[in-house]
Amino acid sequence: MTSSGTSSGPDPAGAPGAVAASPTLRPLHADDAAAVLSAFRSDPAMSRQGTVTTMEEAEEYVRRLTDPDGGMLAWAVCHEHGLMGLVCIAVDRENLNGWFSYWMTEAARGRGWTTRAAATVADWALDYARLERLELGHRVNNPASGAVARAAGFRKEGTERGKFLIAGERVDVDTYGRLRTDPRPDGPRLTMSPMTSRAKEPTRT
């Protein structure tokens, strides 16, 4: 997952064409590799999330996110057509922080699902996984991701100027944070099957 791992494309809640059925969240599984490969092939902008062009790369991508010793927590956003997106947290256990990221397939955007998934996982991480802070960043040329972050309760904290070198040009990154003590955002949430066996890993000392 890249350090700017955020959704690409608009995600307005209640957009025209939204369907009644809501997706659900479940832990990412090893057998999701084929769906992940399909997602990366669905949109060239998915390259922002990493390099997944073959089944082998997809399997490695999923393995890294599901490794119990790797410090990653990953939830699949699933609908009737299968895996439609992903929400991940890279846990810093020492500081009780988490680097937050999300993506959604092109076909699933524009329905408010990314916002609802991000808000649901952020609530869980702060309320049940006992993290104190979540943070994320997105390229300034991807404002839709910032809209998702704000709707999920994250506050903009600054801009890292010229953080990335993309196609020979320096790109700024907007940074966001959400603390356990921050107010919860309004809006609906998704049904979630949490990683109960790993929820208490980050502990206060």
Side-chain angles (χ1 to χ4, degrees):
M1 195 71 65
T2 63
S3 57
S4 59
T6 51
S7 68
S8 54
D11 187 24
V19 296
S22 295
T24 58
L25 286 159
R26 63 159 174 78
L28 185 68
H29 299 155
D31 58 4
D32 287 324
V36 167
L37 177 60
S38 178
F40 271 77
R41 287 177 171 174
S42 73
D43 180 6
M46 284 293 294
S47 62
R48 297 173 179 175
Q49 312 302 329
T51 302
V52 178
T53 59
T54 66
M55 189 61 184
E56 290 74 18
E57 290 173 343
E59 290 172 346
E60 173 58 23
Y61 179 91
V62 172
R63 186 206 63 75
R64 179 165 50 85
L65 294 182
T66 57
D67 181 356
D69 298 320
M72 299 293 298
L73 301 173
W75 287 265
V77 184
C78 298
H79 195 239
E80 57 190 5
H81 299 299
L83 186 150
M84 307 298 288
L86 207 63
V87 181
C88 299
I89 304 174
V91 176
D92 174 358
R93 294 179 178 83
E94 180 178 358
N95 296 296
L96 300 177
N97 293 339
W99 179 259
F100 203 81
S101 59
Y102 40 80
W103 56 256
M104 194 73 69
T105 62
E106 185 175 18
R109 297 172 195 157
R111 301 174 178 179
W113 290 356
T114 313
T115 294
R116 294 172 66 183
T120 303
V121 174
D123 288 350
W124 178 87
L126 296 169
D127 293 345
Y128 298 104
R130 304 176 67 187
L131 296 179
E132 298 283 354
R133 171 181 166 83
L134 301 173
E135 53 194 32
L136 64 84
H138 71 85
R139 304 177 192 183
V140 295
N141 59 359
N142 184 17
S145 191
V148 169
R150 292 187 296 274
F154 289 77
R155 299 181 183 181
K156 184 177 176 180
E157 296 180 335
T159 300
E160 296 179 285
R161 297 176 300 158
K163 183 176 179 67
F164 294 129
L165 179 62
I166 309 295
E169 296 185 5
R170 305 302 307 187
V171 178
D172 295 349
V173 170
D174 284 342
T175 59
Y176 290 77
R178 178 176 165 184
L179 302 180
R180 186 172 59 86
T181 53
D182 287 340
R184 278 190 173 210
D186 295 329
R189 302 298 195 266
L190 300 182
T191 300
M192 182 183 194
S193 300
M195 301 175 190
T196 53
S197 63
R198 301 172 64 186
K200 300 298 183 183
E201 283 190 357
T203 57
R204 296 179 179 87
T205 58

